[in-house]
Amino acid sequence: MNNPTCSHTHHNGTPGGEDETCGCSPCTCQDQNASRESLPKPALISWNVTFRCPLQCPHCYIDARDGDSRTELDTQKALGVIDQIAALGTRVLILSGGEPLLRADIFELAAYAKESGLHVSMGTSGILIDDAVAVRMKDAGIRKAAISLDSTDPDMHDRFRGLPGAWNRTVEGIRACLRQGIGVLVNITILRENYRQVAEIISFCEGLGVTEYQLFFLVPTGRGTVVDDITPEMYETIIKNVMAKTASGTVTIRPTCAPQYTRIRAQLGMEQAAFPGCLAGKQYCRIYPTGDVTPCPYLPLTIGNVTKTPLSEIWQNSAVLNDLRNPDLLEGKCGACEYRSVCGGCRARAYGLHRTAGNTCGKLDEAHDLAGNYLAEEPWCSYVPEAAEGMP
């Protein structure tokens, strides 16, 4: 029965029901609005809008493929997801994939998200972007494109991304975005093959006009479970080099899946970043192409589905998310660490490296049937807190 005091409109396919004045039974929109005020609202949400991708990257966490036929949310349901994200109070929505530009409705979704008050970014390979596409991106309200570039050597990048000519097309995509006034953030995946090239990649991209960078440290999930990672000592060296580079003030560099950078900043007497430590479940979550929600893209653990349960309820009531928000539940040396509240270790890496079974196909685990331990100590942090000395 419709509640006459409620004027909220839900798109078809969302938990609210039909494309009409709210038909919740009974309607609880006012109660939900009140409860949302007490939520630790996610500052950003990453949404894998498609499984499809023309690349074959060996570290892909959802095993995206060209012509992938796995089910994705249709346009109407996707618009309903945007309603839920906006209602939750999220500021930034990242449209990702796969390759989001392969969705025929991607500009419609981006424009609707902008109209809903969200700051819209896109995570893309860049290979499908020319000036015409960049104009459409800008007109749809996409403010920033996060584009992956893993080497200054075209052959190395192309081998890693699994597509000849990808490097040239990616660089042209970066240039097209910048020409059309779209901000560009360059993503660099840190590997044994390129970890010595990070400074060179940044220098090259600075020459293109890029000032923002995100360094992605490998997490063993999806196809990434069979990729050799760098050592914990290499992590520390790269993070310290990043600190030195950002101190110049000319560029912004953010490590991802390396929350120990907050501990290193503290040890060096530096001010903490705006988003310290592991954000999973605290200020961030991910929506899968099917509508499933996970704490982050690299922690393949479904905690609900937005087509069945409102995102606000998942965010507030998930036992997994509430575990991740409590640093006192951390185990091993992370639990004994004096930096656990500002760092917390990478919960996705802890889960992946403590898995009892492999997962190269990118499928999601169920919360009631865990394949790993997301509260275990961070295996790739070399720091041993005083309180953990002597621990096995």
Side-chain angles (χ1 to χ4, degrees), residues 107-127:
F107 299 118
E108 178 183 354
L109 299 182
Y112 187 76
K114 179 192 176 186
E115 293 167 5
S116 301
L118 296 165
H119 294 180
V120 185
S121 297
M122 177 178 284
T124 171
S125 66
I127 68 171

Side-chain angles (χ1 to χ4, degrees), residues 116-172:
S116 301
L118 296 165
H119 294 180
V120 185
S121 297
M122 177 178 284
T124 171
S125 66
I127 68 171
L128 301 180
I129 302 175
D130 55 17
D131 281 283
V133 172
V135 168
R136 294 190 70 188
M137 291 169 63
K138 185 176 181 181
D139 289 347
I142 295 170
R143 300 168 58 142
K144 185 177 293 183
I147 300 178
S148 299
L149 191 71
D150 304 300
S151 179
T152 55
D153 178 352
D155 289 339
M156 179 180 291
H157 177 88
D158 292 356
R159 286 195 305 272
F160 180 63
R161 294 292 168 175
L163 183 69
W167 188 91
N168 285 321
R169 293 168 66 180
T170 294
V171 172
E172 286 305 310

Side-chain angles (χ1 to χ4, degrees), residues 15-281:
E18 301 298 326
D19 229 347
E20 57 185 24
T21 301
C22 178
C24 304
S25 181
C27 181
T28 56
C29 285
Q30 290 180 331
D31 291 340
Q32 288 174 355
N33 288 338
S35 67
R36 286 188 187 112
E37 296 302 315
S38 62
L39 290 172
K41 298 174 182 177
L44 66 161
I45 289 177
S46 178
W47 181 9
N48 299 122
V49 296
T50 182
F51 290 111
R52 289 165 287 161
C53 184
L55 303 182
Q56 281 294 309
C57 308
H59 66 305
C60 182
Y61 55 83
I62 64 170
D63 194 26
R65 298 177 183 273
D66 193 20
D68 198 306
S69 60
R70 283 176 287 179
T71 302
E72 302 167 358
L73 299 181
D74 62 27
T75 300
Q76 202 64 21
K77 288 181 179 179
L79 293 172
V81 171
I82 292 170
D83 286 338
Q84 294 189 58
I85 293 170
L88 189 53
T90 297
R91 298 195 303 274
V92 179
L93 172 62
I94 305 167
L95 300 173
S96 184
E99 174 51 70
L101 287 169
L102 289 178
R103 273 195 73 127
D105 59 0
I106 192 62
F107 299 118
E108 178 183 354
L109 299 182
Y112 187 76
K114 179 192 176 186
E115 293 167 5
S116 301
L118 296 165
H119 294 180
V120 185
S121 297
M122 177 178 284
T124 171
S125 66
I127 68 171
L128 301 180
I129 302 175
D130 55 17
D131 281 283
V133 172
V135 168
R136 294 190 70 188
M137 291 169 63
K138 185 176 181 181
D139 289 347
I142 295 170
R143 300 168 58 142
K144 185 177 293 183
I147 300 178
S148 299
L149 191 71
D150 304 300
S151 179
T152 55
D153 178 352
D155 289 339
M156 179 180 291
H157 177 88
D158 292 356
R159 286 195 305 272
F160 180 63
R161 294 292 168 175
L163 183 69
W167 188 91
N168 285 321
R169 293 168 66 180
T170 294
V171 172
E172 286 305 310
I174 291 172
R175 288 181 170 134
C177 286
L178 293 172
R179 281 194 296 267
Q180 301 306 324
I182 298 173
V184 172
L185 182 152
V186 166
N187 292 336
I188 306 170
T189 300
I190 305 299
L191 305 159
R192 285 185 177 271
E193 294 83 357
N194 73 347
Y195 78 95
R196 292 187 179 91
Q197 297 183 26
V198 172
E200 184 180 343
I201 297 169
I202 292 173
S203 178
F204 171 78
C205 292
E206 279 187 279
L208 300 177
V210 178
T211 60
E212 291 187 78
Y213 303 87
Q214 200 144 353
L215 306 186
F216 283 82
F217 291 82
L218 186 69
V219 173
T221 188
R223 294 202 293 257
T225 56
V226 296
V227 178
D228 286 336
D229 201 355
I230 61 174
T231 67
E233 291 73 25
M234 291 174 181
Y235 270 55
E236 295 272 324
T237 298
I238 293 171
I239 293 171
K240 288 176 181 176
N241 289 341
V242 165
M243 303 297 181
K245 179 67 175 177
T246 56
S248 67
T250 58
V251 297
T252 300
I253 309 173
R254 294 191 292 273
T256 297
C257 300
Q260 56 265 52
Y261 85 93
T262 58
R263 181 254 305 163
I264 296 172
R265 289 183 73 96
Q267 290 174 321
L268 296 176
M270 300 176 68
E271 183 179 351
Q272 284 299 346
F275 296 115
C278 181
L279 303 182

